């Protein structure tokens, strides 16, 4: 089954404690991205990756890092989480970086930073 | 720069009545447009997409949307609402990002409530 898998689904952590949210896709997609969803703001792009070892900032990259060492994986790293990063996070992948192609989304990771 | 405006943050309808969720977009180019649905505690699922073919697009679960370039609109409709349609709906525009690749810009979402 084609899917995007995020882990964990729920995470509560303390300010400053480094964490990683994993994302993996089994569709051999080139393009992957991370979004955060906040009430009244929709989804905003954090980082994206065009292919292995190619990453770039989205609209709200501050406080986040990513890496793309393998095509299927695109982890999101919070080196020093803060309460304003409490949010619902989605990973997405797309077959090719063309405007007509739909994105496939993971189930989401609800992060709470206290 | 592209943008999406969903004109209603909340819409409430009775079961069996029509649904209209409004979306206006702004794009410098010829965009692709999507509607996604998010059920509680679930990820986003594609309802339908417009990619410059037919202007009336049919999607899953009886939803459809009409692309109107003159009005820069892409409203989502369904003739008869069902309780299972209660969810949050996102209008999305896709176009070339500055770094290449498809950049998705999301609207702020419309929460659809369906009442008996």
């Amino acid at each position: 089954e084609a899917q995007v898998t995020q882990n964990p689904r729920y995470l509560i952590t303390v300010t400053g404690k480094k964490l990683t949210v994993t994302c993996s896709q089994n569709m051999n997609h080139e393009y992957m991205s991370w979004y955060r969803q906040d009430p009244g703001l929709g989804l905003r792009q954090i980082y994206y990756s065009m292919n292995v070892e190619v990453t770039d900032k989205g609209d709200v990259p501050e406080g986040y890092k990513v890496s793309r060492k393998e095509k299927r994986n695109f982890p999101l790293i919070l080196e020093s989480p803060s309460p304003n990063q409490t949010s619902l996070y989605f990973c997405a992948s797309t077959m090719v970086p063309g405007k007509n192609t739909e994105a496939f989304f993971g189930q989401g990771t609800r992060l709470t930073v206290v | 720069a592209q943008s999406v405006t969903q004109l209603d943050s909340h819409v409430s309808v009775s079961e069996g009545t029509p649904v209209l969720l409004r979306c206006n977009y702004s794009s410098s180019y010829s965009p692709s447009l999507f509607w996604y649905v998010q059920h509680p505690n679930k990820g986003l699922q594609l309802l339908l997409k417009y990619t410059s073919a037919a202007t009336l697009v049919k999607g899953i679960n009886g939803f459809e949307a009409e692309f109107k370039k003159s009005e820069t609109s892409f409203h989502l409709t369904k003739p008869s609402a069902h309780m299972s349609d209660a969810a949050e709906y996102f209008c999305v525009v896709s176009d070339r990002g500055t770094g290449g690749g498809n950049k998705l810009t999301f609207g702020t979402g419309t929460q659809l409530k369906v009442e008996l």
Side-chain angles (χ1 to χ4, degrees), chain B residues 2-8 21-27 33 35 68-76 91-93 105-108:
Chain B
Q2 57 196 38
S3 66
V4 178
T5 302
Q6 290 184 244
L7 296 156
D8 306 291
L21 305 183
R22 299 182 293 165
C23 172
N24 286 98
Y25 72 92
S26 170
S27 176
L33 292 156
W35 276 98
K68 292 187 176 180
K69 188 174 182 178
S70 61
E71 299 176 9
T72 61
S73 70
F74 190 57
H75 301 334
L76 182 70
C91 182
V92 182
V93 62
T105 299
F106 285 77
T108 52

Side-chain angles (χ1 to χ4, degrees), chain B residues 6 12-14 32 40 54 58-59 70 72 74 90 104:
Chain B
Q6 290 184 244
S12 184
V13 300
S14 299
S32 288
K58 293 188 185 300
S70 61
T72 61
F74 190 57
F90 291 96
L104 299 181

Side-chain angles (χ1 to χ4, degrees), chain B residues 51-79:
Chain B
T51 59
S52 72
T55 56
L56 182 62
V57 182
K58 293 188 185 300
I60 61 172
N61 300 334
F63 284 94
E64 61 182 39
E66 186 172 8
F67 174 72
K68 292 187 176 180
K69 188 174 182 178
S70 61
E71 299 176 9
T72 61
S73 70
F74 190 57
H75 301 334
L76 182 70
T77 60
K78 183 174 180 178

